[in-house]
């Protein structure tokens, strides 16, 4: 059973790293814009990422902020997409942990 959890956790971490790298690379290629929507998108990413430590609770807030930022932004949507993706990955990880146990 421990081997299965090692594979699940390793795969989850790998998916998170690949997602963050790809979307962050896309974001860095775009110009930075300091407005309210970009700050919402950045907050979304930070809260979704902190959901890894806080059992996915902040990931729900991160997903909501990411969706709001995604609707407000016309360009440079990468941070909002990163926040939403991280939120869903974190929540799905914790749901798997709750269902199958450690």
């Amino acid at each position: 059973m421990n081997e299965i959890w090692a594979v699940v956790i390793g795969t989850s971490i790998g998916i998170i790293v690949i997602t963050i790298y790809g979307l962050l690379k896309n974001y860095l290629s775009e110009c930075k814009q300091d407005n309210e929507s970009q700050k919402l998108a950045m907050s979304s990413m930070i809260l979704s990422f902190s959901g890894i430590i806080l059992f996915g609770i902040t990931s729900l807030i991160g997903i909501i902020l990411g969706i709001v930022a995604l609707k407000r932004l016309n360009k440079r949507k990468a941070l909002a997409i990163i926040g939403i993706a991280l939120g869903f990955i974190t929540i799905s990880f914790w749901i798997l942990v709750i269902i199958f146990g450690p």
Side-chain angles (χ1 to χ4, degrees):
M1 191 69 169
N2 289 334
E3 295 85 20
I4 294 172
W5 275 109
V7 170
V8 169
I9 291 172
T11 304
S12 299
I13 291 172
I15 290 171
I16 290 170
V17 168
I18 290 170
T19 303
I20 292 172
Y21 175 75
L23 292 172
L24 198 56
K25 185 177 176 184
N26 184 24
Y27 172 72
L28 292 175
S29 67
E30 300 170 347
C31 8
K32 294 182 180 178
Q33 177 184 359
D34 289 329
N35 61 16
E36 184 178 337
S37 298
Q38 278 300 96
K39 291 176 184 176
L40 280 175
M42 181 64 88
S43 300
S44 166
M45 189 178 80
I46 292 170
L47 286 171
S48 293
F49 189 71
S50 67
I52 295 170
I53 298 169
L54 299 172
F55 307 108
I57 296 169
T58 57
S59 295
L60 292 172
I61 300 168
I63 290 171
I64 293 168
L65 287 178
I67 291 170
V68 169
L70 196 61
K71 292 194 182 265
R72 287 186 182 181
L73 290 170
N74 294 329
K75 293 181 174 180
R76 302 185 254 309
K77 298 180 179 185
L79 275 182
I81 294 170
I82 291 172
I84 294 169
L86 272 175
F88 280 118
I89 290 170
T90 305
I91 288 174
S92 61
F93 170 75
W94 282 111
I95 288 173
L96 286 173
V97 168
I98 290 170
I99 290 173
F100 296 110

